[in-house]
mmCIF file of all heavy atoms in Angstrom:
data_model
loop_
_atom_site.group_PDB
_atom_site.id
_atom_site.type_symbol
_atom_site.label_atom_id
_atom_site.label_comp_id
_atom_site.label_asym_id
_atom_site.label_seq_id
_atom_site.Cartn_x
_atom_site.Cartn_y
_atom_site.Cartn_z
ATOM 1 N N TRP A 27 4.426 20.684 -24.198
ATOM 2 C CA TRP A 27 3.490 19.628 -24.581
ATOM 3 C C TRP A 27 3.889 18.286 -23.954
ATOM 4 O O TRP A 27 3.031 17.421 -23.750
ATOM 5 C CB TRP A 27 3.451 19.492 -26.099
ATOM 6 C CG TRP A 27 3.003 20.748 -26.767
ATOM 7 C CD1 TRP A 27 3.768 21.649 -27.404
ATOM 8 C CD2 TRP A 27 1.670 21.250 -26.822
ATOM 9 N NE1 TRP A 27 3.019 22.694 -27.863
ATOM 10 C CE2 TRP A 27 1.700 22.461 -27.525
ATOM 11 C CE3 TRP A 27 0.435 20.791 -26.329
ATOM 12 C CZ2 TRP A 27 0.573 23.224 -27.763
ATOM 13 C CZ3 TRP A 27 -0.696 21.548 -26.574
ATOM 14 C CH2 TRP A 27 -0.630 22.762 -27.276
ATOM 15 N N GLY A 28 5.166 18.058 -23.630
ATOM 16 C CA GLY A 28 5.580 16.816 -22.958
ATOM 17 C C GLY A 28 5.335 16.842 -21.460
ATOM 18 O O GLY A 28 5.107 15.808 -20.830
ATOM 19 N N VAL A 29 5.397 18.011 -20.831
ATOM 20 C CA VAL A 29 5.206 18.123 -19.381
ATOM 21 C C VAL A 29 3.725 18.096 -19.020
ATOM 22 O O VAL A 29 3.342 17.658 -17.929
ATOM 23 C CB VAL A 29 5.881 19.416 -18.879
ATOM 24 C CG1 VAL A 29 5.609 19.647 -17.392
ATOM 25 C CG2 VAL A 29 7.370 19.365 -19.151
ATOM 26 N N LEU A 30 2.860 18.545 -19.928
ATOM 27 C CA LEU A 30 1.438 18.661 -19.623
ATOM 28 C C LEU A 30 0.794 17.339 -19.211
ATOM 29 O O LEU A 30 0.045 17.292 -18.217
ATOM 30 C CB LEU A 30 0.709 19.270 -20.823
ATOM 31 C CG LEU A 30 -0.767 19.589 -20.622
ATOM 32 C CD1 LEU A 30 -0.954 20.580 -19.477
ATOM 33 C CD2 LEU A 30 -1.369 20.156 -21.911
ATOM 34 N N PRO A 31 1.023 16.218 -19.915
ATOM 35 C CA PRO A 31 0.407 14.958 -19.455
ATOM 36 C C PRO A 31 0.845 14.550 -18.065
ATOM 37 O O PRO A 31 0.057 14.007 -17.276
ATOM 38 C CB PRO A 31 0.856 13.949 -20.514
ATOM 39 C CG PRO A 31 1.154 14.766 -21.721
ATOM 40 C CD PRO A 31 1.716 16.037 -21.200
ATOM 41 N N VAL A 32 2.130 14.775 -17.687
ATOM 42 C CA VAL A 32 2.614 14.407 -16.353
ATOM 43 C C VAL A 32 1.888 15.214 -15.285
ATOM 44 O O VAL A 32 1.485 14.703 -14.230
ATOM 45 C CB VAL A 32 4.147 14.615 -16.281
ATOM 46 C CG1 VAL A 32 4.668 14.311 -14.863
ATOM 47 C CG2 VAL A 32 4.843 13.739 -17.307
ATOM 48 N N LEU A 33 1.716 16.499 -15.546
ATOM 49 C CA LEU A 33 1.012 17.349 -14.590
ATOM 50 C C LEU A 33 -0.439 16.898 -14.413
ATOM 51 O O LEU A 33 -0.979 16.898 -13.296
ATOM 52 C CB LEU A 33 1.062 18.808 -15.049
ATOM 53 C CG LEU A 33 2.449 19.457 -15.060
ATOM 54 C CD1 LEU A 33 2.361 20.872 -15.623
ATOM 55 C CD2 LEU A 33 3.037 19.487 -13.653
ATOM 56 N N LEU A 34 -1.091 16.517 -15.503
ATOM 57 C CA LEU A 34 -2.469 16.037 -15.404
ATOM 58 C C LEU A 34 -2.551 14.750 -14.584
ATOM 59 O O LEU A 34 -3.480 14.568 -13.772
ATOM 60 C CB LEU A 34 -3.039 15.819 -16.811
ATOM 61 C CG LEU A 34 -3.278 17.092 -17.649
ATOM 62 C CD1 LEU A 34 -3.734 16.704 -19.056
ATOM 63 C CD2 LEU A 34 -4.323 17.978 -16.980
ATOM 64 N N LEU A 35 -1.583 13.830 -14.770
ATOM 65 C CA LEU A 35 -1.581 12.572 -14.018
ATOM 66 C C LEU A 35 -1.395 12.827 -12.537
ATOM 67 O O LEU A 35 -2.075 12.223 -11.685
ATOM 68 C CB LEU A 35 -0.497 11.654 -14.565
ATOM 69 C CG LEU A 35 -0.350 10.286 -13.888
ATOM 70 C CD1 LEU A 35 -1.650 9.482 -13.986
ATOM 71 C CD2 LEU A 35 0.798 9.490 -14.497
ATOM 72 N N LEU A 36 -0.452 13.718 -12.183
ATOM 73 C CA LEU A 36 -0.232 14.026 -10.770
ATOM 74 C C LEU A 36 -1.478 14.646 -10.138
ATOM 75 O O LEU A 36 -1.817 14.375 -8.980
ATOM 76 C CB LEU A 36 0.966 14.966 -10.620
ATOM 77 C CG LEU A 36 2.333 14.358 -10.968
ATOM 78 C CD1 LEU A 36 3.421 15.424 -10.888
ATOM 79 C CD2 LEU A 36 2.671 13.210 -10.013
ATOM 80 N N THR A 37 -2.158 15.476 -10.887
ATOM 81 C CA THR A 37 -3.371 16.115 -10.367
ATOM 82 C C THR A 37 -4.444 15.077 -10.063
ATOM 83 O O THR A 37 -5.129 15.130 -9.029
ATOM 84 C CB THR A 37 -3.893 17.134 -11.378
ATOM 85 O OG1 THR A 37 -2.875 18.102 -11.660
ATOM 86 C CG2 THR A 37 -5.119 17.857 -10.842
ATOM 87 N N VAL A 38 -4.614 14.116 -10.969
ATOM 88 C CA VAL A 38 -5.612 13.057 -10.752
ATOM 89 C C VAL A 38 -5.274 12.232 -9.520
ATOM 90 O O VAL A 38 -6.136 11.893 -8.697
ATOM 91 C CB VAL A 38 -5.716 12.181 -12.006
ATOM 92 C CG1 VAL A 38 -6.595 10.960 -11.733
ATOM 93 C CG2 VAL A 38 -6.283 12.988 -13.165
ATOM 94 N N LEU A 39 -3.977 11.883 -9.331
ATOM 95 C CA LEU A 39 -3.566 11.084 -8.171
ATOM 96 C C LEU A 39 -3.815 11.827 -6.866
ATOM 97 O O LEU A 39 -4.241 11.243 -5.858
ATOM 98 C CB LEU A 39 -2.084 10.702 -8.309
ATOM 99 C CG LEU A 39 -1.760 9.729 -9.446
ATOM 100 C CD1 LEU A 39 -0.248 9.493 -9.523
ATOM 101 C CD2 LEU A 39 -2.477 8.390 -9.228
ATOM 102 N N VAL A 40 -3.547 13.134 -6.864
ATOM 103 C CA VAL A 40 -3.760 13.912 -5.646
ATOM 104 C C VAL A 40 -5.246 13.956 -5.298
ATOM 105 O O VAL A 40 -5.640 13.825 -4.133
ATOM 106 C CB VAL A 40 -3.194 15.324 -5.833
ATOM 107 C CG1 VAL A 40 -3.636 16.243 -4.676
ATOM 108 C CG2 VAL A 40 -1.680 15.267 -5.904
ATOM 109 N N VAL A 41 -6.106 14.107 -6.306
ATOM 110 C CA VAL A 41 -7.545 14.154 -6.057
ATOM 111 C C VAL A 41 -8.037 12.820 -5.496
ATOM 112 O O VAL A 41 -8.825 12.758 -4.533
ATOM 113 C CB VAL A 41 -8.291 14.526 -7.346
ATOM 114 C CG1 VAL A 41 -9.805 14.366 -7.165
ATOM 115 C CG2 VAL A 41 -7.958 15.955 -7.760
ATOM 116 N N VAL A 42 -7.562 11.727 -6.064
ATOM 117 C CA VAL A 42 -7.978 10.404 -5.572
ATOM 118 C C VAL A 42 -7.510 10.163 -4.154
ATOM 119 O O VAL A 42 -8.239 9.646 -3.294
ATOM 120 C CB VAL A 42 -7.457 9.320 -6.538
ATOM 121 C CG1 VAL A 42 -7.717 7.924 -5.967
ATOM 122 C CG2 VAL A 42 -8.128 9.469 -7.900
ATOM 123 N N TRP A 43 -6.270 10.577 -3.868
ATOM 124 C CA TRP A 43 -5.727 10.359 -2.509
ATOM 125 C C TRP A 43 -6.515 11.151 -1.478
ATOM 126 O O TRP A 43 -6.796 10.667 -0.396
ATOM 127 C CB TRP A 43 -4.250 10.765 -2.495
ATOM 128 C CG TRP A 43 -3.630 10.637 -1.136
ATOM 129 C CD1 TRP A 43 -3.182 9.526 -0.503
ATOM 130 C CD2 TRP A 43 -3.437 11.719 -0.243
ATOM 131 N NE1 TRP A 43 -2.708 9.797 0.733
ATOM 132 C CE2 TRP A 43 -2.852 11.172 0.933
ATOM 133 C CE3 TRP A 43 -3.692 13.076 -0.292
ATOM 134 C CZ2 TRP A 43 -2.509 11.957 2.028
ATOM 135 C CZ3 TRP A 43 -3.348 13.843 0.802
ATOM 136 C CH2 TRP A 43 -2.767 13.296 1.947
ATOM 137 N N ARG A 44 -6.895 12.370 -1.828
ATOM 138 C CA ARG A 44 -7.647 13.197 -0.879
ATOM 139 C C ARG A 44 -9.019 12.595 -0.621
ATOM 140 O O ARG A 44 -9.527 12.619 0.503
ATOM 141 C CB ARG A 44 -7.790 14.621 -1.423
ATOM 142 C CG ARG A 44 -6.486 15.424 -1.324
ATOM 143 C CD ARG A 44 -6.704 16.838 -1.825
ATOM 144 N NE ARG A 44 -5.490 17.628 -1.665
ATOM 145 C CZ ARG A 44 -5.383 18.901 -2.048
ATOM 146 N NH1 ARG A 44 -6.437 19.504 -2.602
ATOM 147 N NH2 ARG A 44 -4.256 19.542 -1.860
ATOM 148 N N ARG A 45 -9.671 12.041 -1.627
ATOM 149 C CA ARG A 45 -10.980 11.439 -1.430
ATOM 150 C C ARG A 45 -10.898 10.211 -0.521
ATOM 151 O O ARG A 45 -11.755 9.981 0.334
ATOM 152 C CB ARG A 45 -11.597 11.061 -2.767
ATOM 153 C CG ARG A 45 -12.058 12.278 -3.586
ATOM 154 C CD ARG A 45 -12.649 11.840 -4.893
ATOM 155 N NE ARG A 45 -13.134 12.999 -5.671
ATOM 156 C CZ ARG A 45 -13.661 12.891 -6.892
ATOM 157 N NH1 ARG A 45 -13.780 11.675 -7.445
ATOM 158 N NH2 ARG A 45 -14.065 13.976 -7.504
ATOM 159 N N GLN A 46 -9.852 9.419 -0.738
ATOM 160 C CA GLN A 46 -9.716 8.216 0.082
ATOM 161 C C GLN A 46 -9.355 8.542 1.527
ATOM 162 O O GLN A 46 -9.774 7.861 2.464
ATOM 163 C CB GLN A 46 -8.643 7.295 -0.531
ATOM 164 C CG GLN A 46 -9.083 6.669 -1.850
ATOM 165 C CD GLN A 46 -8.004 5.764 -2.426
ATOM 166 O OE1 GLN A 46 -6.876 5.724 -1.913
ATOM 167 N NE2 GLN A 46 -8.345 5.035 -3.491
ATOM 168 N N SER A 47 -8.585 9.624 1.704
ATOM 169 C CA SER A 47 -8.180 9.978 3.077
ATOM 170 C C SER A 47 -9.366 10.521 3.894
ATOM 171 O O SER A 47 -9.329 10.511 5.115
ATOM 172 C CB SER A 47 -7.047 10.998 3.056
ATOM 173 O OG SER A 47 -7.494 12.189 2.422
ATOM 174 N N LYS A 48 -10.411 10.990 3.269
ATOM 175 C CA LYS A 48 -11.567 11.520 3.963
ATOM 176 C C LYS A 48 -12.580 10.434 4.347
ATOM 177 O O LYS A 48 -13.528 10.705 5.080
ATOM 178 C CB LYS A 48 -12.272 12.571 3.104
ATOM 179 C CG LYS A 48 -11.444 13.838 2.930
ATOM 180 C CD LYS A 48 -12.183 14.845 2.060
ATOM 181 C CE LYS A 48 -11.353 16.096 1.887
ATOM 182 N NZ LYS A 48 -12.055 17.080 1.034
ATOM 183 N N ARG A 49 -12.456 9.183 3.891
ATOM 184 C CA ARG A 49 -13.405 8.121 4.225
ATOM 185 C C ARG A 49 -13.188 7.646 5.658
ATOM 186 O O ARG A 49 -12.042 7.564 6.120
ATOM 187 C CB ARG A 49 -13.249 6.958 3.258
ATOM 188 C CG ARG A 49 -13.683 7.295 1.823
ATOM 189 C CD ARG A 49 -13.482 6.098 0.922
ATOM 190 N NE ARG A 49 -13.878 6.407 -0.447
ATOM 191 C CZ ARG A 49 -13.786 5.531 -1.461
ATOM 192 N NH1 ARG A 49 -13.328 4.310 -1.226
ATOM 193 N NH2 ARG A 49 -14.165 5.903 -2.661
ATOM 194 N N PRO A 50 -14.265 7.254 6.450
ATOM 195 C CA PRO A 50 -14.084 6.746 7.833
ATOM 196 C C PRO A 50 -13.442 5.355 7.817
ATOM 197 O O PRO A 50 -13.506 4.649 6.820
ATOM 198 C CB PRO A 50 -15.524 6.701 8.368
ATOM 199 C CG PRO A 50 -16.375 6.611 7.138
ATOM 200 C CD PRO A 50 -15.666 7.383 6.067
ATOM 201 N N PRO A 51 -12.843 4.987 8.933
ATOM 202 C CA PRO A 51 -12.193 3.649 8.990
ATOM 203 C C PRO A 51 -13.222 2.548 8.812
ATOM 204 O O PRO A 51 -14.363 2.666 9.259
ATOM 205 C CB PRO A 51 -11.574 3.623 10.388
ATOM 206 C CG PRO A 51 -11.460 5.065 10.796
ATOM 207 C CD PRO A 51 -12.605 5.767 10.162
ATOM 208 N N GLY A 52 -12.836 1.471 8.225
ATOM 209 C CA GLY A 52 -13.700 0.332 7.991
ATOM 210 C C GLY A 52 -14.494 0.422 6.732
ATOM 211 O O GLY A 52 -15.212 -0.507 6.376
ATOM 212 N N THR A 53 -14.438 1.554 6.058
ATOM 213 C CA THR A 53 -15.157 1.685 4.796
ATOM 214 C C THR A 53 -14.473 0.857 3.738
ATOM 215 O O THR A 53 -13.246 0.871 3.654
ATOM 216 C CB THR A 53 -15.192 3.162 4.356
ATOM 217 O OG1 THR A 53 -15.764 3.936 5.411
ATOM 218 C CG2 THR A 53 -15.989 3.327 3.086
ATOM 219 N N PRO A 54 -15.226 0.092 2.962
ATOM 220 C CA PRO A 54 -14.565 -0.741 1.930
ATOM 221 C C PRO A 54 -13.712 0.128 1.008
ATOM 222 O O PRO A 54 -14.100 1.224 0.602
ATOM 223 C CB PRO A 54 -15.752 -1.358 1.176
ATOM 224 C CG PRO A 54 -16.872 -1.309 2.119
ATOM 225 C CD PRO A 54 -16.685 -0.100 2.953
ATOM 226 N N GLY A 55 -12.580 -0.421 0.757
ATOM 227 C CA GLY A 55 -11.627 0.288 -0.106
ATOM 228 C C GLY A 55 -10.680 1.129 0.667
ATOM 229 O O GLY A 55 -9.774 1.715 0.098
ATOM 230 N N THR A 56 -10.860 1.232 2.085
ATOM 231 C CA THR A 56 -9.954 2.052 2.895
ATOM 232 C C THR A 56 -9.270 1.154 3.886
ATOM 233 O O THR A 56 -9.942 0.438 4.632
ATOM 234 C CB THR A 56 -10.722 3.136 3.658
ATOM 235 O OG1 THR A 56 -11.450 3.898 2.696
ATOM 236 C CG2 THR A 56 -9.788 4.031 4.431
#
């Protein structure tokens, strides 16, 4: 029960990073 929140946080960060890495250059926020 203590490890589960950490795993969920890492999963969210990986998903966000992958979305940002797929944006073309010059796109706001990239």
Side-chain angles (χ1 to χ4, degrees):
W27 299 103
V29 175
L30 186 59
V32 177
L33 294 176
L34 291 175
L35 180 59
L36 292 175
T37 303
V38 172
L39 293 177
V40 169
V41 171
V42 173
W43 177 79
R44 285 182 177 178
R45 288 180 178 178
Q46 290 180 352
S47 62
K48 292 180 180 180
R49 292 179 181 179
T53 304
T56 304

